[in-house]
Amino acid sequence: MRVTIIGSGNLATQLGKAIASSGHDIAQVYSPTYCHALTLADALGSSATSCLCEVNDDSDCYIISIKDSALQTLIPELCNGRDDKVFIHTAGSVPLDVFKGAAKHYGVLYPMQTFSKQRDVDFATIPIFTEYNDDEAKAAIDILAHSISPKVTELSSADRRYLHLAAVFSCNFVNHCYTLAAGIMERHGMTFDQLLPLIDETASKVHDLHPSKAQTGPAVRYDTNVINRQMDLLADNTLMRDIYEMMSKSIHNEVKS
């Protein structure tokens, strides 16, 4: 299948590599910043452009992997005059009907994973969630999705919103907690890597236990002596103190329920 990648960020980079490795032809990469488009295009063996008016017309699919807020502006211009093409976005929280009125064949291919340009991932382990408006879009999306991952599931826009919400809690918020923990360690002469065995065991446990059963710590038993002492340590950072207090209450409420 011949594919054009619209975007050059973290997901566009890793998805482009996976699609190219699975035998598809990446014809072109578009990014409003030419050097970014060129960097990814060189990695994928394709051409680059920073002008939407120069996007090629001979691809089968156009995969749009850009920030959510830019989709509604870009889609009408990109889809105009390409009624025989399939357009696909990769966003977790954007509904299918963002294409409505602009494209004839369209869908969603959402790989649920955290991506960074510098860190390659194995798409064979990544669940991919798909949605489409017609059989032509379904056929193209199925070919692409199944060529890079065996874990492909159809999911509606309504349910994908909640999937994305759960992903934010389990990934982005957890990673922010790592950042806060790293700051505490570094300010007191320790290093974040000293926490890695704890982090690894915590993540490993939930492969075998429901997260609610894997929870430990002072908030589970709501040990106010420990909780209050630790909150005192955060007296100079009211936001972190509030986060600590709310998280402790949330953990304890979950245990009680």
Side-chain angles (χ1 to χ4, degrees), residues 202-249:
T202 303
S204 180
K205 277 200 298 187
V206 296
H207 286 265
D208 302 313
L209 298 172
H210 189 278
S212 64
K213 301 297 183 184
Q215 186 70 59
T216 62
V220 171
R221 56 190 182 274
Y222 214 68
D223 186 334
T224 55
N225 289 327
V226 174
I227 290 170
N228 289 335
R229 285 199 299 269
Q230 293 193 332
M231 288 176 63
D232 287 344
L233 296 176
L234 298 170
D236 61 342
N237 189 322
T238 56
L239 180 57
M240 279 185 67
R241 191 178 189 278
D242 289 345
I243 291 171
Y244 182 100
E245 183 175 20
M246 286 189 290
M247 288 287 283
S248 296
K249 288 180 178 178

Side-chain angles (χ1 to χ4, degrees), residues 179-192:
T179 302
L180 297 180
I184 292 170
M185 297 289 280
E186 291 158 7
R187 285 192 295 273
H188 296 279
M190 297 171 281
T191 58
F192 181 71

Side-chain angles (χ1 to χ4, degrees), residues 94-245:
V94 177
L96 175 69
D97 64 10
V98 70
F99 289 109
K100 196 170 184 179
K104 185 175 180 181
H105 313 293
Y106 53 87
V108 179
L109 189 157
Y110 172 51
M112 195 184 65
Q113 183 56 280
T114 177
F115 296 98
S116 298
K117 288 184 181 181
Q118 305 82 0
R119 184 177 174 85
D120 290 343
V121 293
D122 179 8
F123 267 79
T125 68
I126 297 173
I128 293 179
F129 297 89
T130 64
E131 190 179 12
Y132 44 82
N133 78 311
D134 63 13
D135 289 343
E136 188 163 339
K138 171 179 167 53
I141 291 168
D142 281 351
I143 288 171
L144 288 172
H146 286 283
S147 70
I148 60 176
S149 173
K151 301 179 177 182
V152 180
T153 303
E154 292 180 18
L155 194 69
S156 69
S157 292
D159 287 335
R160 185 163 28 86
R161 291 183 307 162
Y162 289 101
L163 175 70
H164 190 250
L165 174 62
V168 167
F169 270 95
S170 61
C171 174
N172 307 128
F173 287 176
V174 170
N175 192 72
H176 181 60
C177 287
Y178 294 159
T179 302
L180 297 180
I184 292 170
M185 297 289 280
E186 291 158 7
R187 285 192 295 273
H188 296 279
M190 297 171 281
T191 58
F192 181 71
D193 61 6
Q194 291 172 303
L195 294 174
L196 291 178
L198 173 65
I199 291 169
D200 291 343
E201 174 60 15
T202 303
S204 180
K205 277 200 298 187
V206 296
H207 286 265
D208 302 313
L209 298 172
H210 189 278
S212 64
K213 301 297 183 184
Q215 186 70 59
T216 62
V220 171
R221 56 190 182 274
Y222 214 68
D223 186 334
T224 55
N225 289 327
V226 174
I227 290 170
N228 289 335
R229 285 199 299 269
Q230 293 193 332
M231 288 176 63
D232 287 344
L233 296 176
L234 298 170
D236 61 342
N237 189 322
T238 56
L239 180 57
M240 279 185 67
R241 191 178 189 278
D242 289 345
I243 291 171
Y244 182 100
E245 183 175 20

